[in-house]
Amino acid sequence: MSGVRRWDIWTLITTLIFIGYFVFLALPLFMLLINSFFDGTTGEFSLAYFQKFFSRAYYMNAVWNSIKVTVSVTLLSVLIAGPLAYIMSTIRIKGSGTIRILILISSMSAPFIGAYAWILLLGRNGVITGFFRDVFGLQLPDIYGFSGILLVLTLQLSPLIFMYVSGALKNVDHSLMEAAESMNCTGIRKMWKVLVPLITPTLLAGGLLVFMRAFADFGTPMLIGEGYRTVPVLIFNEFISEVGGDDGFAAAISVIVVLFATAVFLIQKYIANRKSFSMSALNPIEPQPRKGWVNVLAHTVVYGFTAIAMMPQVYVAYTSFLKTSGRIFVDGYSLDSYRDAFSKIGDSIFNTFMLAGISIVIIILAAVLIAYATVKRKGAVAGVLDTFTMLPYIVPGSILGIALLVTFNKQPLVLSGTAAILIIAFVIRRLPYTIRSSAAVLHQVNDSIEEAAISLGASTMKTFFKVTVPMMISGVIAGAILSWISIITELSTSIILYTGRTRTMTVAVYTEVIRGNYGVAAALSTMLTVITVISLLIFFKLSGKKEVTM
């Protein structure tokens, strides 16, 4: 009888979820793999695409450029955000709550918007560049190339490390620090010998997230790379140039990237598992008031970083209200840029809300079911499903976009050029946020509550929707808001999949920047920032938190 009971409604739901992941994630990635091994002209098995990639310095340079960027950004983010989190966790900073929110906001906008803002500030005719040239006669290095990419991505992604480390420090028992000090282990030595080993698993998890995001970022190197070509830009250019014929070479590069990203992910998991342990802080670290130069230095570092991190968003918002003459900013203020944004590309605003809205509805429904299946229906199947939900972390957005186009541009299911293919991509890529937050709440729900409802005559599904879902709702909504924010700021997938009828705000910002129409780009960017801020405030209100745990 036990074997019969296993085939209940949840078995059907789990099967349907697997089918969805297979059709819209596993199958596209498999088709991408197949395309990379077969000649686009003859249809015969061939390693020509891989030989072409590894035999030409042009392509290998893009790989080394990407590795150089991602490793540098990850290390810099850890070196900047780790001490910053330590300062704010141990020293009482005035306005620390507001500072944390501002740091979080700075990380939530699309990286390419930061790149565009820094062009306005540190470009060849940028505000800061012009100020130093005119006032001091100094010619500052411009924002373009490796140094610019490094600046933009570090400022964009270091807040992620800050959030991870801040959360980990709350679980460190202060008595450990006091014991170290009693043994004359103080200052930097105490931090290195005691604190760093305790938070190493957290640093590895945050570092992996930063690494993956920097490695997959398309917009920043595309806007300010100026010849410093990275792998996402290379894939985009190769795919766009080949889209009318042979797209096998772009598929081959994508396969190499996915294998590399998977290897990095597995190495991180292996190291993290070896160093993982549980901490329970009976006497957690609390920020203490400090005096003298230490207090001044701590406030200077915290306020200085926050000001620099927020500078792109603030300056873009400012320029959105400047008068424009054609594509040039002129003296005076007006709402012309906003009028142009609504009149010329208002469809992109509607598309963004429409596509994101539909995606979020699907994400909420799927996340609730998947979280329950993986948390409450333990077993090998649940473990495999949990692994499937992690795949979108490894696959860059541009590669998922290419995989979906390769798979669904012919019968029996043609989705290329439709809104459906964008919705599918958004759901797959951003579903993990809501799954994780939903599962975190579900772990705290006692099984006996459901058992009591069933014993009183309620069906399995009625118990789920009437009892379990209401208890999960805070985690579901919190995760859905994070998924929403990440969808409306998505570029790498959208730029591959959009058409004139499905253009989103991020694509519109990108194309307007490329055209030099900075006023409209600033107006759209400001709207995105405002939507992000409002979404975060709703998140804080509903979750009762003042921070986000990724």
Side-chain angles (χ1 to χ4, degrees):
M1 290 295 292
S2 61
V4 174
R5 279 199 301 269
R6 278 199 291 267
W7 288 95
D8 57 10
I9 185 64
W10 279 105
T11 304
L12 175 62
I13 290 172
T14 304
T15 302
L16 292 175
I17 291 169
F18 266 113
I19 292 172
Y21 269 110
F22 174 79
V23 172
F24 297 118
L25 182 60
L27 179 61
L29 292 177
F30 179 73
M31 293 301 295
L32 199 67
L33 179 67
I34 294 296
N35 269 36
S36 68
F37 282 105
F38 286 86
D39 188 282
T41 305
T42 64
E44 296 178 353
F45 179 84
S46 173
L47 296 175
Y49 293 130
F50 293 97
Q51 291 170 349
K52 176 182 177 181
F53 180 81
F54 287 109
S55 64
R56 298 187 185 180
Y58 173 80
Y59 301 120
M60 294 306 297
N61 283 341
V63 174
W64 291 118
N65 286 346
S66 282
I67 292 174
K68 183 180 175 182
V69 165
T70 49
V71 171
S72 300
V73 168
T74 303
L75 291 176
L76 266 180
S77 296
V78 170
L79 291 174
I80 292 172
L84 186 70
Y86 178 75
I87 290 171
M88 292 197 67
S89 298
T90 57
I91 300 176
R92 188 172 296 169
I93 303 294
K94 291 182 180 179
S96 61
T98 302
I99 292 294
R100 289 180 184 275
I101 292 174
L102 290 175
I103 291 175
L104 181 58
I105 289 171
S106 71
S107 72
M108 286 295 179
S109 64
F112 78 94
I113 292 178
Y116 151 61
W118 284 108
I119 290 174
L120 298 179
L121 291 166
L122 285 176
R124 296 184 181 94
N125 295 309
V127 174
I128 297 176
T129 307
F131 174 79
F132 276 88
R133 183 179 60 239
D134 298 339
V135 176
F136 301 107
L138 295 175
Q139 185 62 49
L140 296 179
D142 60 49
I143 194 68
Y144 303 99
F146 171 74
S147 58
I149 297 172
L150 187 61
L151 171 68
V152 172
L153 290 180
T154 300
L155 288 175
Q156 173 76 25
L157 299 176
S158 53
L160 299 177
I161 301 288
F162 173 81
M163 287 185 279
Y164 269 90
V165 175
S166 295
L169 289 174
K170 290 181 179 179
N171 295 321
V172 175
D173 200 305
H174 188 59
S175 58
L176 294 173
M177 312 299 287
E178 293 173 341
E181 290 172 358
S182 69
M183 300 174 68
N184 290 325
C185 183
T186 59
I188 299 296
R189 187 162 171 260
K190 177 183 69 176
M191 184 184 294
W192 184 253
K193 291 286 188 180
V194 180
L195 199 58
V196 171
L198 289 174
I199 64 173
T200 292
T202 301
L203 286 174
L204 288 171
L208 175 69
L209 182 60
V210 169
F211 187 96
M212 291 299 186
R213 288 201 180 183
F215 189 71
D217 186 66
F218 160 79
T220 303
M222 192 70 175
L223 284 179
I224 62 176
E226 281 204 350
Y228 194 87
R229 197 176 304 275
T230 60
V231 170
V233 175
L234 177 67
I235 292 173
F236 176 79
N237 289 339
E238 292 297 330
F239 183 72
I240 293 302
S241 64
E242 302 283 353
V243 76
D246 183 10
D247 51 28
F249 186 50
I253 302 173
S254 300
V255 168
I256 294 168
V257 170
V258 171
L259 290 175
F260 173 75
T262 303
V264 171
F265 175 77
L266 293 176
I267 291 170
Q268 183 271 343
K269 294 299 265 185
Y270 173 75
I271 297 173
N273 288 337
R274 293 197 62 180
K275 293 183 176 292
S276 65
F277 49 84
S278 61
M279 291 189 293
S280 180
L282 298 176
N283 180 27
I285 296 174
E286 295 286 348
Q288 302 295 327
R290 301 293 291 269
K291 296 181 179 180
W293 68 270
V294 173
N295 185 53
V296 173
L297 181 61
H299 279 78
T300 301
V301 169
V302 171
Y303 290 166
F305 174 82
T306 307
I308 294 172
M310 285 299 298
M311 192 184 300
Q313 285 89 344
V314 172
Y315 189 71
V316 166
Y318 167 74
T319 59
S320 71
F321 294 102
L322 293 178
K323 281 186 178 181
T324 57
S325 176
R327 297 179 177 180
I328 305 170
F329 292 120
V330 296
D331 291 337
Y333 301 92
S334 77
L335 296 175
D336 290 345
S337 295
Y338 288 92
R339 292 191 191 98
D340 290 343
F342 279 103
S343 63
K344 295 179 180 177
I345 47 179
D347 60 323
S348 67
I349 301 171
F350 172 79
N351 289 340
T352 298
F353 281 94
M354 185 267 293
L355 294 171
I358 295 173
S359 300
I360 286 300
V361 171
I362 298 171
I363 284 172
I364 289 173
L365 179 61
V368 166
L369 298 175
I370 293 171
Y372 189 89
T374 54
V375 173
K376 296 298 185 180
R377 310 279 292 185
K378 296 180 178 66
V381 174
V384 174
L385 182 59
D386 192 48
T387 302
F388 261 109
T389 65
M390 289 296 293
L391 277 178
Y393 282 117
I394 302 172
V395 181
S398 56
I399 291 177
L400 178 60
I402 292 172
L404 289 171
L405 278 183
V406 166
T407 307
F408 299 116
N409 67 346
K410 53 185 177 295
Q411 295 296 341
L413 188 58
V414 179
L415 297 177
S416 57
T418 67
I421 198 168
L422 276 164
I423 292 169
I424 290 166
F426 291 156
V427 170
I428 290 172
R429 292 207 71 212
R430 304 311 178 185
L431 185 56
Y433 288 103
T434 310
I435 292 175
R436 291 186 65 177
S437 62
S438 302
V441 174
L442 200 55
H443 277 293
Q444 301 169 11
V445 176
N446 197 306
D447 292 346
S448 61
I449 298 175
E450 291 182 317
E451 292 168 359
I454 293 173
S455 70
L456 292 171
S459 66
T460 302
M461 293 311 293
K462 186 176 181 180
T463 300
F464 174 71
F465 284 109
K466 293 286 188 180
V467 178
T468 309
V469 171
M471 291 189 288
M472 295 171 60
I473 201 68
S474 62
V476 173
I477 293 176
I481 292 171
L482 295 183
S483 296
W484 163 270
I485 292 171
S486 58
I487 287 171
I488 64 174
T489 57
E490 169 72 56
L491 176 67
S492 58
T493 308
S494 304
I495 200 74
I496 294 289
L497 298 175
Y498 89 100
T499 64
R501 294 176 300 169
T502 58
R503 179 174 55 175
T504 60
M505 289 174 73
T506 50
V507 173
V509 172
Y510 173 78
T511 52
E512 293 303 309
V513 171
I514 294 296
R515 294 169 183 167
N517 197 356
Y518 291 156
V520 173
L524 288 171
S525 299
T526 303
M527 283 187 248
L528 277 174
T529 301
V530 170
I531 295 167
T532 301
V533 171
I534 292 172
S535 301
L536 283 173
L537 292 176
I538 295 172
F539 168 84
F540 295 141
K541 181 70 175 177
L542 294 175
S543 66
K545 300 178 181 178
K546 292 297 180 186
E547 60 188 6
V548 173
T549 303
M550 294 291 181

Short mmCIF file of all heavy atoms in Angstrom, two decimals, residues 109-148:
data_model
loop_
_atom_site.label_atom_id
_atom_site.label_comp_id
_atom_site.label_asym_id
_atom_site.label_seq_id
_atom_site.Cartn_x
_atom_site.Cartn_y
_atom_site.Cartn_z
N SER A 109 20.54 47.90 -9.10
CA SER A 109 20.33 48.39 -10.46
C SER A 109 21.18 47.58 -11.44
O SER A 109 22.12 46.90 -11.03
CB SER A 109 20.71 49.88 -10.56
OG SER A 109 22.08 50.06 -10.32
N ALA A 110 20.84 47.65 -12.70
CA ALA A 110 21.59 46.90 -13.72
C ALA A 110 23.01 47.45 -13.82
O ALA A 110 23.21 48.67 -13.84
CB ALA A 110 20.89 47.01 -15.06
N PRO A 111 24.04 46.58 -13.89
CA PRO A 111 25.42 47.06 -13.96
C PRO A 111 25.68 48.02 -15.12
O PRO A 111 26.45 48.98 -14.98
CB PRO A 111 26.23 45.76 -14.13
CG PRO A 111 25.38 44.71 -13.52
CD PRO A 111 23.96 45.12 -13.81
N PHE A 112 25.04 47.78 -16.27
CA PHE A 112 25.33 48.62 -17.44
C PHE A 112 24.84 50.05 -17.23
O PHE A 112 25.36 50.98 -17.85
CB PHE A 112 24.71 48.02 -18.71
CG PHE A 112 23.24 48.24 -18.85
CD1 PHE A 112 22.75 49.31 -19.58
CD2 PHE A 112 22.34 47.38 -18.25
CE1 PHE A 112 21.39 49.51 -19.71
CE2 PHE A 112 20.98 47.58 -18.38
CZ PHE A 112 20.50 48.65 -19.11
N ILE A 113 23.84 50.25 -16.33
CA ILE A 113 23.42 51.61 -16.01
C ILE A 113 24.52 52.33 -15.25
O ILE A 113 24.78 53.52 -15.47
CB ILE A 113 22.10 51.59 -15.20
CG1 ILE A 113 20.96 51.09 -16.09
CG2 ILE A 113 21.77 52.98 -14.65
CD1 ILE A 113 19.62 50.98 -15.39
N GLY A 114 25.21 51.59 -14.38
CA GLY A 114 26.38 52.16 -13.71
C GLY A 114 27.47 52.51 -14.71
O GLY A 114 28.12 53.55 -14.60
N ALA A 115 27.65 51.65 -15.71
CA ALA A 115 28.65 51.93 -16.75
C ALA A 115 28.30 53.20 -17.51
O ALA A 115 29.16 54.06 -17.76
CB ALA A 115 28.73 50.74 -17.71
N TYR A 116 27.03 53.34 -17.86
CA TYR A 116 26.57 54.53 -18.57
C TYR A 116 26.77 55.78 -17.71
O TYR A 116 27.21 56.83 -18.19
CB TYR A 116 25.10 54.33 -18.95
CG TYR A 116 24.27 55.58 -19.05
CD1 TYR A 116 24.59 56.58 -19.96
CD2 TYR A 116 23.17 55.76 -18.21
CE1 TYR A 116 23.81 57.73 -20.05
CE2 TYR A 116 22.39 56.90 -18.31
CZ TYR A 116 22.72 57.88 -19.22
OH TYR A 116 21.96 59.01 -19.30
N ALA A 117 26.46 55.68 -16.40
CA ALA A 117 26.63 56.82 -15.50
C ALA A 117 28.08 57.24 -15.39
O ALA A 117 28.40 58.44 -15.40
CB ALA A 117 26.08 56.47 -14.12
N TRP A 118 28.98 56.26 -15.32
CA TRP A 118 30.40 56.59 -15.20
C TRP A 118 30.95 57.17 -16.50
O TRP A 118 31.94 57.90 -16.49
CB TRP A 118 31.20 55.38 -14.74
CG TRP A 118 31.03 55.11 -13.27
CD1 TRP A 118 30.34 54.09 -12.69
CD2 TRP A 118 31.55 55.90 -12.20
NE1 TRP A 118 30.38 54.19 -11.33
CE2 TRP A 118 31.13 55.29 -11.00
CE3 TRP A 118 32.32 57.06 -12.14
CZ2 TRP A 118 31.45 55.81 -9.74
CZ3 TRP A 118 32.65 57.58 -10.88
CH2 TRP A 118 32.22 56.96 -9.71
N ILE A 119 30.32 56.85 -17.63
CA ILE A 119 30.70 57.52 -18.88
C ILE A 119 30.41 59.01 -18.76
O ILE A 119 31.22 59.86 -19.15
CB ILE A 119 29.93 56.92 -20.08
CG1 ILE A 119 30.42 55.50 -20.37
CG2 ILE A 119 30.10 57.79 -21.33
CD1 ILE A 119 29.62 54.78 -21.44
N LEU A 120 29.24 59.34 -18.18
CA LEU A 120 28.89 60.75 -18.00
C LEU A 120 29.82 61.44 -17.00
O LEU A 120 30.10 62.63 -17.13
CB LEU A 120 27.45 60.87 -17.49
CG LEU A 120 26.33 60.34 -18.40
CD1 LEU A 120 24.97 60.52 -17.73
CD2 LEU A 120 26.35 61.02 -19.76
N LEU A 121 30.34 60.67 -16.03
CA LEU A 121 31.19 61.26 -14.99
C LEU A 121 32.66 61.26 -15.35
O LEU A 121 33.36 62.28 -15.19
CB LEU A 121 30.99 60.50 -13.68
CG LEU A 121 29.62 60.66 -13.00
CD1 LEU A 121 29.44 59.61 -11.91
CD2 LEU A 121 29.48 62.06 -12.41
N LEU A 122 33.15 60.12 -15.86
CA LEU A 122 34.59 59.97 -16.10
C LEU A 122 34.93 59.69 -17.56
O LEU A 122 36.05 59.28 -17.87
CB LEU A 122 35.15 58.83 -15.23
CG LEU A 122 35.32 59.14 -13.74
CD1 LEU A 122 35.79 57.89 -12.99
CD2 LEU A 122 36.32 60.27 -13.51
N GLY A 123 33.95 59.88 -18.45
CA GLY A 123 34.24 59.73 -19.88
C GLY A 123 35.19 60.84 -20.35
O GLY A 123 35.57 61.73 -19.58
N ARG A 124 35.54 60.81 -21.61
CA ARG A 124 36.51 61.80 -22.12
C ARG A 124 35.99 63.23 -21.97
O ARG A 124 36.77 64.17 -21.83
CB ARG A 124 36.83 61.49 -23.58
CG ARG A 124 37.53 60.14 -23.74
CD ARG A 124 37.95 59.84 -25.16
NE ARG A 124 38.58 58.54 -25.20
CZ ARG A 124 37.95 57.40 -25.50
NH1 ARG A 124 36.65 57.44 -25.77
NH2 ARG A 124 38.59 56.26 -25.51
N ASN A 125 34.67 63.39 -22.01
CA ASN A 125 34.07 64.70 -21.77
C ASN A 125 33.18 64.68 -20.53
O ASN A 125 32.23 65.47 -20.43
CB ASN A 125 33.24 65.13 -22.99
CG ASN A 125 34.11 65.34 -24.22
OD1 ASN A 125 35.11 66.05 -24.17
ND2 ASN A 125 33.74 64.69 -25.33
N GLY A 126 33.51 63.80 -19.60
CA GLY A 126 32.70 63.65 -18.39
C GLY A 126 32.83 64.83 -17.45
O GLY A 126 33.76 65.65 -17.55
N VAL A 127 31.90 64.90 -16.50
CA VAL A 127 31.87 66.02 -15.56
C VAL A 127 33.14 66.06 -14.71
O VAL A 127 33.78 67.12 -14.58
CB VAL A 127 30.62 65.90 -14.65
CG1 VAL A 127 30.64 66.98 -13.57
CG2 VAL A 127 29.36 66.00 -15.47
N ILE A 128 33.50 64.93 -14.10
CA ILE A 128 34.69 64.91 -13.24
C ILE A 128 35.95 65.10 -14.08
O ILE A 128 36.86 65.84 -13.68
CB ILE A 128 34.74 63.57 -12.46
CG1 ILE A 128 33.53 63.46 -11.53
CG2 ILE A 128 36.04 63.47 -11.66
CD1 ILE A 128 33.44 62.14 -10.80
N THR A 129 36.00 64.44 -15.23
CA THR A 129 37.16 64.59 -16.12
C THR A 129 37.35 66.05 -16.52
O THR A 129 38.47 66.59 -16.47
CB THR A 129 36.97 63.73 -17.38
OG1 THR A 129 36.68 62.39 -17.01
CG2 THR A 129 38.23 63.74 -18.24
N GLY A 130 36.25 66.70 -16.92
CA GLY A 130 36.31 68.10 -17.33
C GLY A 130 36.70 69.02 -16.19
O GLY A 130 37.45 70.00 -16.37
N PHE A 131 36.20 68.74 -14.97
CA PHE A 131 36.51 69.57 -13.80
C PHE A 131 38.01 69.55 -13.52
O PHE A 131 38.63 70.61 -13.33
CB PHE A 131 35.73 69.06 -12.59
CG PHE A 131 36.10 69.75 -11.31
CD1 PHE A 131 35.59 71.01 -11.01
CD2 PHE A 131 36.95 69.15 -10.39
CE1 PHE A 131 35.92 71.65 -9.82
CE2 PHE A 131 37.30 69.77 -9.21
CZ PHE A 131 36.78 71.03 -8.92
N PHE A 132 38.61 68.38 -13.47
CA PHE A 132 40.04 68.28 -13.19
C PHE A 132 40.87 68.87 -14.32
O PHE A 132 41.94 69.47 -14.08
CB PHE A 132 40.43 66.82 -12.94
CG PHE A 132 40.21 66.36 -11.53
CD1 PHE A 132 38.99 65.83 -11.14
CD2 PHE A 132 41.21 66.48 -10.58
CE1 PHE A 132 38.76 65.42 -9.84
CE2 PHE A 132 41.01 66.07 -9.27
CZ PHE A 132 39.78 65.54 -8.89
N ARG A 133 40.41 68.73 -15.55
CA ARG A 133 41.14 69.30 -16.69
C ARG A 133 41.09 70.82 -16.67
O ARG A 133 42.10 71.50 -16.86
CB ARG A 133 40.56 68.76 -18.00
CG ARG A 133 41.31 69.25 -19.24
CD ARG A 133 40.70 68.67 -20.51
NE ARG A 133 39.30 69.07 -20.66
CZ ARG A 133 38.29 68.20 -20.74
NH1 ARG A 133 38.52 66.91 -20.70
NH2 ARG A 133 37.04 68.63 -20.88
N ASP A 134 39.91 71.39 -16.42
CA ASP A 134 39.75 72.84 -16.48
C ASP A 134 40.30 73.55 -15.25
O ASP A 134 40.84 74.66 -15.35
CB ASP A 134 38.26 73.18 -16.65
CG ASP A 134 37.68 72.63 -17.94
OD1 ASP A 134 38.47 72.35 -18.86
OD2 ASP A 134 36.44 72.47 -18.02
N VAL A 135 40.14 72.95 -14.07
CA VAL A 135 40.53 73.61 -12.83
C VAL A 135 41.99 73.34 -12.47
O VAL A 135 42.73 74.26 -12.09
CB VAL A 135 39.61 73.18 -11.67
CG1 VAL A 135 40.07 73.79 -10.34
CG2 VAL A 135 38.16 73.57 -11.97
N PHE A 136 42.43 72.09 -12.58
CA PHE A 136 43.78 71.73 -12.14
C PHE A 136 44.73 71.43 -13.29
O PHE A 136 45.93 71.21 -13.07
CB PHE A 136 43.72 70.50 -11.22
CG PHE A 136 42.89 70.71 -9.99
CD1 PHE A 136 41.65 70.10 -9.85
CD2 PHE A 136 43.34 71.53 -8.96
CE1 PHE A 136 40.88 70.28 -8.72
CE2 PHE A 136 42.58 71.72 -7.81
CZ PHE A 136 41.33 71.11 -7.71
N GLY A 137 44.21 71.42 -14.52
CA GLY A 137 45.07 71.10 -15.65
C GLY A 137 45.51 69.66 -15.68
O GLY A 137 46.52 69.31 -16.30
N LEU A 138 44.75 68.79 -15.02
CA LEU A 138 45.09 67.37 -14.96
C LEU A 138 44.21 66.57 -15.92
O LEU A 138 43.01 66.80 -16.01
CB LEU A 138 44.88 66.83 -13.54
CG LEU A 138 45.78 67.40 -12.44
CD1 LEU A 138 45.37 66.84 -11.09
CD2 LEU A 138 47.25 67.07 -12.73
N GLN A 139 44.83 65.65 -16.63
CA GLN A 139 44.09 64.77 -17.52
C GLN A 139 43.93 63.41 -16.85
O GLN A 139 44.87 62.63 -16.77
CB GLN A 139 44.81 64.62 -18.86
CG GLN A 139 44.04 63.81 -19.90
CD GLN A 139 42.70 64.46 -20.26
OE1 GLN A 139 42.64 65.66 -20.55
NE2 GLN A 139 41.64 63.67 -20.24
N LEU A 140 42.73 63.16 -16.30
CA LEU A 140 42.49 61.89 -15.62
C LEU A 140 42.38 60.75 -16.63
O LEU A 140 41.95 60.96 -17.76
CB LEU A 140 41.18 61.97 -14.82
CG LEU A 140 41.12 62.96 -13.66
CD1 LEU A 140 39.73 62.89 -13.01
CD2 LEU A 140 42.19 62.66 -12.62
N PRO A 141 42.77 59.53 -16.20
CA PRO A 141 42.52 58.36 -17.07
C PRO A 141 41.03 58.22 -17.31
O PRO A 141 40.22 58.42 -16.40
CB PRO A 141 43.06 57.18 -16.24
CG PRO A 141 43.94 57.79 -15.21
CD PRO A 141 43.41 59.15 -14.93
N ASP A 142 40.63 57.91 -18.54
CA ASP A 142 39.20 57.79 -18.80
C ASP A 142 38.67 56.44 -18.32
O ASP A 142 39.41 55.57 -17.89
CB ASP A 142 38.88 58.03 -20.28
CG ASP A 142 39.58 57.05 -21.20
OD1 ASP A 142 39.50 55.84 -20.92
OD2 ASP A 142 40.19 57.49 -22.19
N ILE A 143 37.37 56.29 -18.44
CA ILE A 143 36.66 55.15 -17.86
C ILE A 143 36.73 53.91 -18.74
O ILE A 143 36.35 52.81 -18.31
CB ILE A 143 35.19 55.53 -17.61
CG1 ILE A 143 34.48 54.52 -16.69
CG2 ILE A 143 34.41 55.64 -18.93
CD1 ILE A 143 34.98 54.52 -15.30
N TYR A 144 37.23 54.02 -19.94
CA TYR A 144 37.12 52.92 -20.91
C TYR A 144 38.20 51.86 -20.70
O TYR A 144 39.29 52.14 -20.21
CB TYR A 144 37.18 53.48 -22.33
CG TYR A 144 36.11 54.52 -22.58
CD1 TYR A 144 36.41 55.88 -22.52
CD2 TYR A 144 34.79 54.14 -22.83
CE1 TYR A 144 35.41 56.83 -22.72
CE2 TYR A 144 33.80 55.08 -23.03
CZ TYR A 144 34.11 56.43 -22.98
OH TYR A 144 33.13 57.36 -23.16
N GLY A 145 37.88 50.63 -21.09
CA GLY A 145 38.83 49.53 -21.00
C GLY A 145 38.73 48.76 -19.69
O GLY A 145 37.73 48.84 -18.97
N PHE A 146 39.80 48.04 -19.38
CA PHE A 146 39.80 47.15 -18.21
C PHE A 146 39.54 47.89 -16.91
O PHE A 146 38.73 47.46 -16.08
CB PHE A 146 41.15 46.42 -18.12
CG PHE A 146 41.34 45.65 -16.84
CD1 PHE A 146 40.67 44.46 -16.61
CD2 PHE A 146 42.17 46.16 -15.83
CE1 PHE A 146 40.84 43.76 -15.42
CE2 PHE A 146 42.34 45.47 -14.65
CZ PHE A 146 41.67 44.26 -14.44
N SER A 147 40.19 49.03 -16.71
CA SER A 147 40.06 49.76 -15.44
C SER A 147 38.62 50.22 -15.22
O SER A 147 38.11 50.18 -14.09
CB SER A 147 41.01 50.96 -15.40
OG SER A 147 40.75 51.84 -16.49
N GLY A 148 37.95 50.66 -16.29
CA GLY A 148 36.57 51.09 -16.16
C GLY A 148 35.63 49.94 -15.83
O GLY A 148 34.75 50.06 -14.96
#
